[in-house]
Amino acid sequence: QTELHVRIRTLSAFIGLSLVTVNAGAQSVDLTGAGATFPYPIYSKWFSDYAAKTGVRINYQSIGSGGGIRQLSERTVDFGASDAPMSDAELSKAKGGKVLHFPMVLGAVVVTYTLPSVQKPLKLSGTVLADIFLGKITKWNDARIASLNAGVALPARAILVVHRSDGSGTSFIFTDYLTTVSPAWSAGPGTGKEVQWPVGLGGKGNEGVAGQVRQIVGSIGYVELAYARQNKLAYAEMQNAAGAFVSPTIEAITEAAASAAKQLGKDTDYRVSIVNAPGKKSYPISSFTWLLVYEHMADAAKARKVRDFLKYALADGQKSAPALDYAPLPSNLASQLAKRVAALAAGK
């Protein structure tokens, strides 16, 4: 009887181990990616839905655009993700050959703040915003802020700037905008995934900045729209190139993207900025976000899986965008990109 019990326990252990092994195989990762936190909410949705539909599992590390570019360049991931297109210098360092940029969706960087006594959205201009982040405007009741917000009782409270501490595509979009609208910012910190911030404290990722702003009364920061809404943070109406104050709605982001049509006709690598776009309805801190893929991948099976996922994201995936506070790609652009995916599949 004892020997029988031992055999039963041994058999049970073997069956249990087998089940764990099978389950581990079922849960294995097919593709790995890393990069931008800006599109993480929608990428998470896509990866989950795609796994349910196809069984293909994608592991994505939301580590910031700078980290995504570095990992892709070192070939430690199958694809990268960035809100800042790679520079020519970065492209030249990529160890896997030519990198292609695929715009995936459109999003907005919003200026978020915590001022409990102010009940309606603040209005800000680009030059005032730049001077806040330069440390030139230090109080919420400063005359320049007050002039844009007639009738609003602004507190005589110090402004605490919160910025990203990591290499960030969100920072790239934000500083690209400030550089475009403010000569003082252009001559100072300038545009980049990482800049020398004149004032403030840092937070890691969109999550970190949103968390700091939420906790500190009098703070101001910049995050992707979805993070502001998820954290129930207030965000400003920004004055656009036409002089109108605009909220970051899906329609306003799409309007900004329409201005890029002529550039996209010439710029076939899709590295294009749409900040401070013309048009009365355009939200001025809008941007594409890109997946970064090697034109020729050494692993044919992974290349096929990347191609198939891109097809999904550019078609069915776009339907998920508005519910998560992103704007879908214009249909004509999605069609252009679908042709590029086909060329990628053919190895051209």
Side-chain angles (χ1 to χ4, degrees), residues 146-161:
S147 69
L148 299 172
N149 294 275
V152 177
L154 296 169
R157 179 183 284 276
I159 298 173
L160 175 64
V161 167

Side-chain angles (χ1 to χ4, degrees), residues 111 123-138 140 142 144-145 148 159 161-163 173-191 195-200 220-222 236 238-239 276 284-285:
V111 179
K123 292 180 169 63
L124 293 173
S125 67
T127 53
V128 165
L129 182 63
D131 282 352
I132 290 172
F133 276 77
L134 285 168
K136 295 181 178 180
I137 296 177
T138 61
W140 280 108
D142 184 278
R144 292 178 62 192
I145 300 177
L148 299 172
I159 298 173
V161 167
V162 182
H163 55 74
I173 298 164
F174 185 67
T175 57
D176 185 27
Y177 169 69
L178 295 183
T179 296
T180 302
V181 298
S182 167
W185 187 274
S186 179
T191 302
V195 299
Q196 292 296 317
W197 297 98
V199 294
I220 185 171
Y222 58 93
M238 292 301 304
Q239 190 173 39
N276 207 39
I285 324 180

Side-chain angles (χ1 to χ4, degrees), residues 54-343:
T54 66
V56 174
R57 297 177 61 83
I58 302 173
N59 178 41
Y60 181 76
Q61 304 168 49
S62 176
I63 60 173
S65 296
I69 289 172
R70 282 191 296 273
Q71 290 205 22
L72 178 78
S73 298
E74 293 296 324
R75 300 179 66 181
T76 58
V77 292
D78 300 314
F79 63 87
S82 180
D83 310 316
M86 293 174 69
S87 66
D88 290 344
E90 288 172 329
L91 288 170
S92 70
K93 295 176 184 176
K95 294 181 178 179
K98 184 177 180 180
V99 176
L100 301 181
H101 286 68
F102 285 89
M104 301 311 294
V105 287
L106 292 141
V109 175
V110 303
V111 179
T112 185
Y113 55 88
T114 295
L115 289 175
S117 64
V118 177
Q119 297 301 308
K120 64 179 185 178
L122 286 177
K123 292 180 169 63
L124 293 173
S125 67
T127 53
V128 165
L129 182 63
D131 282 352
I132 290 172
F133 276 77
L134 285 168
K136 295 181 178 180
I137 296 177
T138 61
K139 295 283 188 179
W140 280 108
N141 63 345
D142 184 278
R144 292 178 62 192
I145 300 177
S147 69
L148 299 172
N149 294 275
V152 177
L154 296 169
R157 179 183 284 276
I159 298 173
L160 175 64
V161 167
V162 182
H163 55 74
R164 287 285 286 274
S165 60
D166 52 332
S168 159
T170 309
S171 290
F172 180 91
I173 298 164
F174 185 67
T175 57
D176 185 27
Y177 169 69
L178 295 183
T179 296
T180 302
V181 298
S182 167
W185 187 274
S186 179
T191 302
K193 293 186 289 295
E194 298 179 80
V195 299
Q196 292 296 317
W197 297 98
V199 294
L201 58 87
K204 187 174 181 180
N206 273 283
E207 305 94 330
V209 173
Q212 294 274 24
V213 173
R214 185 179 62 244
Q215 294 171 24
I216 304 171
V217 175
S219 60
I220 185 171
Y222 58 93
V223 296
E224 198 279 324
L225 175 60
Y227 290 87
R229 289 193 172 171
Q230 287 169 7
N231 288 280
K232 296 181 171 55
L233 294 171
Y235 46 86
E237 294 179 354
M238 292 301 304
Q239 190 173 39
N240 64 17
F245 290 94
V246 182
S247 292
T249 63
I250 299 301
E251 293 75 19
I253 299 167
T254 301
E255 188 73 19
S259 71
K262 293 181 181 179
Q263 296 181 67
L264 289 173
K266 301 173 184 176
D267 188 355
T268 54
D269 68 358
Y270 297 96
R271 294 185 292 164
V272 60
S273 170
I274 59 171
V275 300
N276 207 39
K280 291 184 178 180
K281 297 180 180 179
S282 296
Y283 180 72
I285 324 180
S286 299
S287 179
F288 292 110
T289 187
W290 293 266
L291 278 190
L292 311 173
V293 179
Y294 282 114
E295 184 177 30
H296 301 289
M297 293 179 65
D299 187 320
K302 286 192 173 186
R304 184 177 64 254
K305 288 175 180 176
V306 169
R307 175 201 68 200
D308 290 345
F309 172 72
L310 285 170
K311 284 183 179 179
Y312 164 82
L314 292 169
D316 292 350
Q318 297 297 306
K319 300 170 187 175
S320 304
L324 293 170
D325 301 314
Y326 298 89
L329 296 174
S331 57
N332 59 339
L333 176 57
S335 298
Q336 287 179 36
L337 292 167
K339 293 177 182 177
R340 190 176 221 204
V341 172

